[in-house]
Structures are given as structure tokens and as C-alpha cells.
Amino acid sequence: MKKIRKVLDGLTTSSPGGTIGSPSCGSAAGTPTAAATPKEIDIQETLVSENFQLCKTVRHGFPYQPTALAFDPVQKILAIGSRSGGVRILGRPGVDCYCQHESGAAVLQLQFLINEGALVTACADDTLHLWNLRQRRPAVLHSLKFNRERITFCHLPFQSKWLYVGTERGNTHIVNIESFILSGYVIMWNKAIELSTKTHPGPVVHLSDSPKDEGKLLIGFESGTIVQWDLRGKKADFRMHYDEAIHSVGWHHEGKQFMCSHSDGSLTMWNLRNTTRPFQVTFPHGKVQKDGRKESCKPILKVEYKTSRNSEPFIIFSGGLSYDKAGRRPTLTIMHGKAITVLEMDYPIVEFMALCETPYNNEVQEPYAVVVLLEKDLIVVDLTQSNFPVFENPYPMDIHESPVTCTAYFAECPPDIIPILYSIGAKHKKTGYSQKEWPISGGTWTLGSHTYPEIIITGHADGSIKFWDASAITLQMLYKLKTSKVFEKLKPGEGRAAELVEEDPFAIQMVSWCPQSRIFCVVGISAHIILYRFSKYDANTQIVSLEVRLQCESEDVISPSENENNPCFSEPGSHSPQPHHQHPASPGAGTPEGVKDSIPCIKVKDRMVRVPPGYQAELVIQLLWVDGEPPQQITSLDINSAYGLLAFGNCNGLAVVDYLQKTILLCMSTLDLYGAADPYQRLTRSPRRNRQSTSGLTELSDNQQSIDMERSKSPTSDHVNGHCTSPTSQLCSAGKPRVPMVPEGPRLTRRGPGRPPFRKAQSAACMEISLPVSHTEVGYASRRAMLQQFHGVTMYSHDEHHTSAPYCWSERESRENSFSRSRSSSVSSIDRDTKEAITTLQFAESYGRKNDPVPTPCLWVGTSLGVVLVIPMSIPTDQEERMEEPVTIGPSGAVLMLKGSVLRFGFLDLMGALIQSPYEVWRDLNAPENPDRPRKRKLVNFSPSSSQDTCGEGHLAVVCSERQAKVFLMPSQSCLFVHNITESSFVLRADVVSVCNSVCLACFCANGHIMTISLPSLRPMMDINYLPLTDMRIARTFCFTNGGQALYLSSPTEIQRITYSQEMCDNLQEMLGELFTPIETPEAQNRGFLKGFFGGNANTFDREELFGEASAGKASRSLAQHIPGQAGMEGMKVAASGVVGDLARARIALDERGQRLGELEDRTALMMTSAETFSKHAHELMLKCKDKKWYQF
């Protein structure tokens, strides 16, 4: 507990520019800024550092760059390996586990220990790993690193503890799964092939034991040689040769014949009675040409040969199409009797696997499904129906259907929002799926007690929006919204209008959602905003379009008449952007030489449209081209349903729209927002004048002194006497006219002729930059380039020192800015004009001025120069007046200052509780009229003074920038606390969130640190180096939410959720699903007397006797290195959980039920296991020696 004592009134304050920015605010964490205490604020802070712990919870989506596939037919769980070393294990919905190899090496192959709760992975660094799946978070028990050979193929027979490992040299090694130690038994390649063979057979590409006799091992070499090795006799039974390279082999269950797939697109059938040549060679997709020759075909990469009791065998293979047609899609072919079915896939096939009823390879297989792993999808085909339909995938594997460009995370949503979104979205689901249940149904999962409604929203490059139910650490698709339907279809060759867009003109940049009122707002890449309302009824509507000119010419002087007619306040001598209401301008209208002016980037439908139930577009706001320059991208957005207002800004200025009356209330440049309260004395130029060519920039960048000084700067520094300079200005005294610093140059067009202003949508899934965040000081150049890419605009910090040279850019900065993939040509790296971007906005009940007696609706504005403006508004309260009377906006009141770009606002009452923004209760405007219950606006207001009679008037404002956080007391505007969050990096994301029935500030920095800071005292609670920022995808998609949760896009196809709450970490085990469930292994079928008599002695094969150390000896220590897994009981438990050991199994079962053994019990278990092992070896030695005579020793 900590009691905060602060001044409520009686503080003497000077001008905002001098006092707030003075060193009196302090620099230490949570430093108070006043000493006198006429009144006290008694806030009992309950958060302590023990309330915070960081851990990953669950990963959603499709595994990025998959490489391997495995299935346990008894447990019915599926494993997918990836190129980055990740392993996803899937079961029934809710059973979804992600594991990661520490080395990060690609997973080459996966092998389940069927019904044993373990998994073997073979990685590209030639290491084998054994994973324990009998715990909710799997862990590595053993690893075996091969030093002199490279692993190419692995095979683990059912109910065997000996793993066959093929290598690139053609050798086959055998590994004991229980101890993870190499056996001395090795099948050398030169022993396997004939002595007369003069060439190396190539790497081992296939290993399998014969269904007829487990003592026979079939080895396939890449060159086309197949050898059946007699494990007992240590010799080759037979050798087969084929001219084409082998890719895979599939046995018939009787063990008398097998099938091979080859690189020329052929399938060969071999019979063990005649091994000289195949008895059947087929080219399934090879046609006979006119000259009688077969056309060349692509390789068949894999074939599976599965038998069925009541029908012909299934032959399933991938590839094998002819080369004659270019651009053919990848295919999976199913041959069933004489019927050949070719299934075309949307993506290349990585791996496939037939799911069979039995785990025994010597029984009729009875395949019922085929799992097909594609590069970007997972498909399961139903083999029990003749048309081979696919199963409906219950996992969220289509997050990346279109690249993700933004995310939003909402916890503790209204409980009715998820069912209604699901009911609307269910009407648009695809049909034609198999009617059977999803076959991957292993594991167990129950809805935990610590669950609450959560929704994740993803925006995509094609303009689509997806709502996901994220409750209880699962993810399920709720509803999909296509924003492109609001606009006219883009047709090629429409003149200049076709030049305005490129591949992704509808890409989503940010979203704003009010779950209570169900108002939804979308910002698109083409500088457009769409406002949606939710309705359960379809309707015919016409979308209203507002067009805004948000470009500024700060040197132009407008006439008094223009100033009087402007609906917003402005200073004389300034110029504000002009709003245009539904201005139907054509390209080149009113401008010389066809220069684009007063046209939007894309055209809104101007006719009545039929909209289905769900989110229906009501208003579209578009920024216009001005004098041939495209509009700047929108950098900030906020919407408030209680006020009926929407605010947005970019690097040119701010606009406020009344979406109830469909009017523009405010539209002005950032400089004009200050009025007389501008804390900076600066010089500005017209944003479209004095442009420098690229060559001129290069010449100016060669100044070595400028380069050195530029490199020595930190991204931000403290204010100096309330003055600052922009990168293109010099200090001047107050009151002097703003004049250009350099002579005007010719107006240059930075875009080439016909070049679209917007490049391909920059998806959050495909952006990567390197940031030098590990150094003591982050480079100024890289931070600027990063922020350009992060916000989509060129932004400059207010407190940088500059040399006399107007352009002092290092070559490194030029390179990084050229890499910055901004989609607007007007924010290219050579644009050095003064731009103060609007970086964050928030509507709130607050105090616009120091002498305000009561809170009023206000708009809090944060800029890239660290300035906070509070703009008061007057909104009619009566419903009829609200629809008719205009909303008035007063001049800017408070001006507060911080270091770095402002990121987030938060508001607390004087008891320390979070003040929610007011909202309107949802009402369906399309519902049938009810005379008895007229639809009226119902507002819910959280006024700061509603429950503070004993604490006095006022509230606390929390402001976080990329450098520091401050807590201000309103309305006195006193800075109570200040905390410098980081000195060597900068904050990317920040949010005021509720955790453990209290409130804190959560921050994510560019150096990968995640921090939590108490409120309002700004004491650091947690600071963990979690994730180094290696690409912009993480920065664009990282977001916090209430309940101590956060998420980010960990790969282009996956969402990673994390928690920073100790309470949720403690309850995580309860929320996760169980991968392993005790199931009896199905019994093998009775082979019958005749089959058993003539089928050989397969059941008498003893691998332990053959591969054990007693008979095979020890392997060379230099060949492979054993690496123990996690120490302690986990390793001991699974080491004892082989095919034998009932006592060890019982001990594991007890541990899985949650019983934690003490230190004494651990030692006892260790001794018991050792005693069992010793007893076992002693018994084996006794059996071996009891019949020997004394002279045989």
C-alpha cells in the first residue's frame, strides 16, 4: 500500500510552456512535483510487483512455413513442425499447444510414440529431441546431437523403443528412445549395397519394417536402390534397382509387395518373390504422345498404399502432373480402383498423411481421411464418401487469408455481443463440408472458471475485418466484414482515377470500436474512414460521403470573410484546411494541366444499396487530393457514441466530424490549433514549397560534420527554456513573422508520371527492419525511419538540436528512410517540411481550462512533438436539439508537454479508479417502430465528479509518450508525477489497463521490454526484456487489454497471446487443454492358425536382445552427443515411462493429477527407478548365464 499526498489547489503555476516543461517535474520515477499539502489525495494503491509475471499463453493461427506432419492414431492428435523450429500439437477444439526448439532449427520430421504421450522431432541441426506430452506444457526430456552425420529420415515402429535413423551418408543408426543413447548396431551403406556397385547409393530416403516380419528393415536410397536388411542375420536379403530416384515407399499390409514413387512421375509395384524388376510401372498423369513416347511428368513426392476390407485399395499421392501446362495448381490424387480423383489445392503441398483405423501395419488399414498440410492451410479430406468432401476446420487457420495489417484486443466485452455476432456470421458460412465429426479429436479441454468475454479484431490488406471470439484462450471466427463493398469496383482503364490506387487500396490501418454502442470505425490506407452501425435487420440505405481537404499552406493569408465563415476557430493570418461536403470533382477539375485536385482516392457508391444484417456503413469520410498531391495517411482516430463525434488527424492537422448531423465541425492545421498558446517559437514553410531534389539531398548529406553531429544525437532530449527547433527551422524570437529559411526552389513533383501514390498495402505480416535497440542510445536515424514506417508519416521530435545546415542527413538515415515503405509519395524521405502529426486522440469528460467549475466534453489531442492540447466542446443534451443545433468547439485550453511523441491518454478519478468514456446504449435504427416504446438515445456518462463528493472536484489525467509518463491534476493542470520510462529506447505501445481490480500503465518498448507502471504514483512494477523488436509486424500489431493480457502477430500467419498478470499465470494450467488422455491400446487382430504358422516368426523378434549394449556394444562417443533435458522428476518420470514399467506409469498419473512430490519423495522415486533398472539388468544377465557351463565364462 502506498498513500499519495498531493496538492489539490493553492498551487502557484506559471505559463504552461515554462512550468510544465521545467525541470521541476523531475526525472526520477514517480517524482512528486510539489511540497505544500493544503489538501490531500488518499489513494490506496493495491498493486505490487508480485502481481505481475510475464508468460506466453496460447498461439493461434496456421503454423508459419510448415515442414513436417505426424498423427497419433490412438490419441488422435496431430503435430505440425515448422521451419523456425516450432511444433504445434492439435487435438479437439480447445486443445492447441505450441512448443519451440531453443535452437530454432527447422523441424525435418516428427514421430509420435503412439499412445505413449511422447513425440520425437528431428531437426535440421541434426539433433533428435524427445518431448513429453503428458503435461500441459510439453518439455524436452532428451536430445541427441549427431556430430559427423546428417539426419535425413527417421522411423519408429509401433510399440518399439528403438528408433531407426537414416543419414545423408547412407548409413542407418538405431537410437534407444528411453535412454536416448545410440546403439552399437549400425547398418553401413557399403554393407547394404552390392560389392560390385561402384557408386554411392545416396542418402537414406525411406525406412520401414516389413509388416510380415519386424526383423526385416526396408531401406530406400535416393539413387533408386532398395535393400531389405535382415536385422538378425546382419545381411541384405535382396536388393532392387530402378533407374529413377526414389521419393517414398508404401507397403501393402500383408508385407508381400510395396509401391515406390519416383522423380519421373512414375509409380512402381514390387513383389518380394521377384526382386529383379517391378511387376508394374504406371504413369498416372502421363499421356502417350503421338510419337508413342510418354510425356514427361513432375516427381511424385509421396505415395501411400492403404487397403480396405470392403473395397479396392487406396493409392494416394502428391505431384506427378505433366510439364505441358504451366501454372497448374498443386494436386493430390486419390486412386480407388479404376476411379482417379484429382484434388486441386490452393497452395503447394508440404506433406500429407492417411488416417487409418488401426495402428498396426500388418492389418487392413481402413483409411477414413487424409490430412493435407499445405504451405498456408490445413485440409482434411473425407475418404468415406465418394465425392471426397473436406471437413470443416474448427481451428482458426485462416487468419492470414489476407495479410493482417492491424489488430485490436477487447477484454471484458458486454456478454451479449459475442452471441449476436456469431448468429449474424453463421448465416454467411460456407457449405458443402463433410457431415462427419472432425477426426482430430484427441485431448481434453474444459471451460475454466477464469473466463470472460474477449474479442480480437483483425484488419486485412483486402479491406476485410474479422471479429474473433477469444474467450477462454480459444479463437473462433464470429463475423467478417468487407469494407470494399462501400466503394465502386475499380475498373482498369478509367483514366486518371485508375492511377490513384494499386494492389490494396482498401487495406485497413486502424480500427476503433465501442462494444457498448456497437459503433465501429475503420481507417483505410486510401485516407478514408468508414463508420458502421450494427443492425439485426437488412436495409436499403444510401451511404453519406464527406470529403475533407486536410492540407495546409501555412504561409497563405486568407481573407477575413473566409475566416468568418470557417466553422472552426483560427488565428488571423493563418490558413486552415477547408472541408468539402460531397464535392463531386473530377480528376483535373479546376486545375491547370489536369493536376488532380479535390478528388478522393477511391469512389464511394452514390446509389441506394441493399445491406445485410450486421455492420452497415453509414458514413464515409475521405481526404482529398490537393494541387496534385495525395492526402496524407490518417495517424489517429477516436469516436464517441455519447457525443456523436468522430475525430481524426494526420501530419497536416485535425478534423472533427459530427456523424449524427453528417457535418464537419473542425478542420485545421496543427499549428492553428495552438492559437496564442503555441509553446514553441518556430519557422514554418508551406508543405508544398521549397522542395529539394534527391540529388540535392545527397549532396547535403555528404557534410561529414553534419553526419557526425546527427549520429551523436539521442532521439529526444529535454526542453531548453521552453524553446525548440524543427529539423528545418532555426530559433527566432516571438512575434516575428514566419518566413522560409532557405530560398524557394522550383516546385518539383516527387512522383513519377503515372505513379500511384499508394504502394501495395504494408501488411503487418511482411515488414522487417533491424533496429539498433541493444545499444545504450538508439540511433536517431533508425528511430526516425522506424517511426515513419510505424505511423505512416514523417514525424520529427521537438527537442532535437540541429546544426546550421538545413539538411543534415546521414547516408544511413537516407537508406533507412528509403526502405520505409510509406504508401504516400508526399511522405517520402526527401520531404523535410515541418510537420507536427496528430498521434493520439481521446474524447473525455474533462476540464478544458483551469477555471472550469465542472467537467465538460473535451477532446484530448496528442502530437508528435510531445504537446497535449485539450479542446473543450459544447454539445446539446436534448435529443431533438442534438440533431438540429450545432456542436460548438472552443479555443484550445490546456497545453501540456512531454518528451517524445504522445501515445496514450487515461483518466482516473480522485480515488484512483479508471474513468470510462461515456457511451450511448445500442439501439437498432432499422428495427420496426414501436409507438409504445419510441427509440430514444440513452447515454451512460462517467463524470469525474459523479461520486467524489467527499474528495472534491477534479480528476487525474495520465499521459504517456514514447519517452515518459506524467500524471496531471485537472483542472489545475499541475504535474503531480513524472516517470522517464526509457532513456535508451522508446515506447511503441502504451495503454492504461485494469489488472487485479486496480489500474496500471502497460508499455511495450522498441528494445523488447514490457513494463508495467503503477497509477497514479508511476512506480515501476515490472520490467522484463521479453521480445527484441526485429520487424515492424510486431510493432504494428502489439496491443494491450484489460485483465493483464496482450497480443501481437508473431508471424505472418499466427497471433501470440501473452499475459503479464501473476493471477492468470497461476490459472493458466487450468485453462490449457490436456494433450494426453489414458486410452487402452487396441488389441492386434487374431492372425489365425495358418497365417501364424506360415507367416514367419515376426512375433518372436526381440529388438532389445539385438540392439542392446550386451550384444551390439556401445556406439562411438564422437558420433553423437547425448544432451539431457529438463532436470528433476520430469526427466525421471518419462525415462521410466517406456513400454514397460507399470509402477512408473502410476507415479506419472499421480503427478498429472496435480500431486507435487516433495524433495524426499523425489529422491525415493529416483532410488526406486534405479532399483528397477538394476533388477531388470540383473534378471537379464541371469537368464543369459544360467545355462552356461563354468568353462564358458
Side-chain angles (χ1 to χ4, degrees), residues 552-570:
C552 57
E553 289 277 4
S554 56
E555 291 176 5
D556 294 344
V557 179
I558 60 176
S559 63
S561 61
E562 287 177 320
N563 195 30
E564 291 172 2
N565 295 331
N566 196 2
C568 53
F569 62 91
S570 62

Side-chain angles (χ1 to χ4, degrees), residues 970-1136:
M970 303 300 289
S972 68
Q973 303 175 17
S974 306
C975 178
L976 301 184
F977 292 97
V978 60
H979 172 58
N980 291 333
I981 299 173
T982 177
E983 294 294 340
S984 59
S985 184
F986 52 96
V987 179
L988 290 171
R989 296 289 184 187
D991 208 346
V992 178
V993 294
S994 60
V995 182
C996 302
N997 300 319
S998 188
V999 184
C1000 73
L1001 176 66
C1003 303
F1004 173 57
C1005 296
N1007 59 5
H1009 284 247
I1010 294 180
M1011 308 176 184
T1012 57
I1013 302 167
S1014 70
L1015 292 177
S1017 63
L1018 298 180
R1019 291 179 296 116
M1021 297 278 100
M1022 180 187 74
D1023 185 353
I1024 295 178
N1025 186 5
Y1026 168 69
L1027 182 73
L1029 182 65
T1030 54
D1031 54 63
M1032 285 301 302
R1033 177 185 63 247
I1034 299 172
R1036 282 180 179 264
T1037 58
F1038 198 102
C1039 50
F1040 294 99
T1041 189
N1042 294 328
Q1045 297 195 76
L1047 66 80
Y1048 61 91
L1049 211 65
S1050 58
S1051 75
T1053 62
E1054 295 170 288
I1055 290 176
Q1056 178 67 59
R1057 292 166 66 179
I1058 62 174
T1059 180
Y1060 48 94
S1061 165
Q1062 177 67 56
E1063 180 183 4
M1064 188 166 184
C1065 288
D1066 295 339
N1067 297 324
L1068 188 59
Q1069 289 292 329
E1070 176 190 344
M1071 301 168 69
L1072 295 175
E1074 290 274 4
L1075 293 173
F1076 179 80
T1077 54
I1079 300 175
E1080 287 292 331
T1081 302
E1083 294 183 0
Q1085 294 179 0
N1086 189 359
R1087 302 181 66 194
F1089 173 76
L1090 293 178
K1091 286 188 177 181
F1093 186 78
F1094 295 104
N1097 55 348
N1099 293 330
T1100 62
F1101 179 61
D1102 188 357
R1103 294 185 178 92
E1104 179 69 31
E1105 180 180 355
L1106 194 60
F1107 304 142
E1109 185 178 331
S1111 57
K1114 292 183 178 180
S1116 173
R1117 291 186 178 180
S1118 60
L1119 183 61
Q1121 176 187 359
H1122 176 258
I1123 305 171
Q1126 293 182 352
M1129 272 302 296
E1130 289 297 328
M1132 289 301 304
K1133 282 184 287 187
V1134 178

Side-chain angles (χ1 to χ4, degrees), residues 551-798:
Q551 298 272 19
C552 57
E553 289 277 4
S554 56
E555 291 176 5
D556 294 344
V557 179
I558 60 176
S559 63
S561 61
E562 287 177 320
N563 195 30
E564 291 172 2
N565 295 331
N566 196 2
C568 53
F569 62 91
S570 62
E571 292 293 315
S574 66
H575 175 74
S576 297
Q578 298 297 313
H580 283 243
H581 298 263
Q582 306 181 35
H583 186 71
S586 60
T591 56
E593 301 178 1
V595 176
K596 304 180 187 70
D597 185 52
S598 300
I599 59 172
C601 296
I602 43 182
K603 185 180 179 182
V604 180
K605 291 180 180 178
D606 56 358
R607 60 185 183 277
M608 294 291 291
V609 292
R610 184 77 173 174
V611 289
Y615 273 104
Q616 302 168 350
E618 178 178 298
L619 175 66
V620 177
I621 305 167
Q622 293 180 286
L623 299 186
L624 301 177
W625 284 62
V626 178
D627 296 340
E629 289 293 329
Q632 300 284 3
Q633 293 178 17
I634 297 168
T635 59
S636 55
L637 170 76
D638 193 37
I639 187 170
N640 189 280
S641 57
Y643 302 158
L645 300 179
L646 181 151
F648 65 94
N650 62 8
C651 63
N652 284 334
L654 170 70
V656 180
V657 174
D658 183 345
Y659 68 79
L660 296 178
Q661 299 185 20
K662 309 296 189 296
T663 58
I664 300 174
L665 302 176
L666 177 72
C667 180
M668 64 167 41
S669 65
T670 313
L671 294 181
D672 296 332
L673 289 174
Y674 292 109
D678 191 347
Y680 301 129
Q681 299 173 3
R682 46 184 147 193
L683 297 175
T684 60
R685 296 171 297 152
S686 164
R688 298 187 299 280
R689 293 185 183 173
N690 308 325
R691 299 191 181 95
Q692 303 294 326
S693 65
T694 307
S695 60
L697 175 62
T698 307
E699 293 170 4
L700 289 168
S701 297
D702 292 335
N703 187 323
Q704 186 61 40
Q705 181 179 1
S706 300
I707 293 174
D708 294 339
M709 293 194 67
E710 189 78 322
R711 288 175 176 172
S712 65
K713 298 169 196 165
S714 62
T716 54
S717 50
D718 292 333
H719 301 285
V720 182
N721 299 326
H723 299 283
C724 81
T725 58
S726 74
T728 56
S729 63
Q730 295 174 335
L731 287 171
C732 67
S733 59
K736 289 188 178 181
R738 294 168 175 149
V739 295
M741 190 182 63
V742 294
E744 280 195 18
R747 300 189 66 168
L748 301 178
T749 302
R750 288 188 295 276
R751 291 184 300 105
R755 174 184 169 191
F758 301 117
R759 302 175 191 165
K760 181 170 177 161
Q762 193 170 17
S763 103
C766 61
M767 294 168 291
E768 296 186 359
I769 66 169
S770 297
L771 295 177
V773 295
S774 58
H775 299 99
T776 306
E777 258 183 69
V778 177
Y780 164 77
S782 50
R783 171 187 172 274
R784 174 179 297 169
M786 186 270 184
L787 286 180
Q788 275 190 243
Q789 191 174 6
F790 181 60
H791 294 289
V793 296
T794 308
M795 296 182 295
Y796 307 104
S797 181
H798 64 283

Side-chain angles (χ1 to χ4, degrees), residues 528-541:
H528 64 270
I529 300 173
I530 310 174
L531 186 141
Y532 291 88
R533 284 185 182 270
F534 187 84
S535 175
K536 294 188 290 185
Y537 305 91
D538 56 1
N540 291 318
T541 183

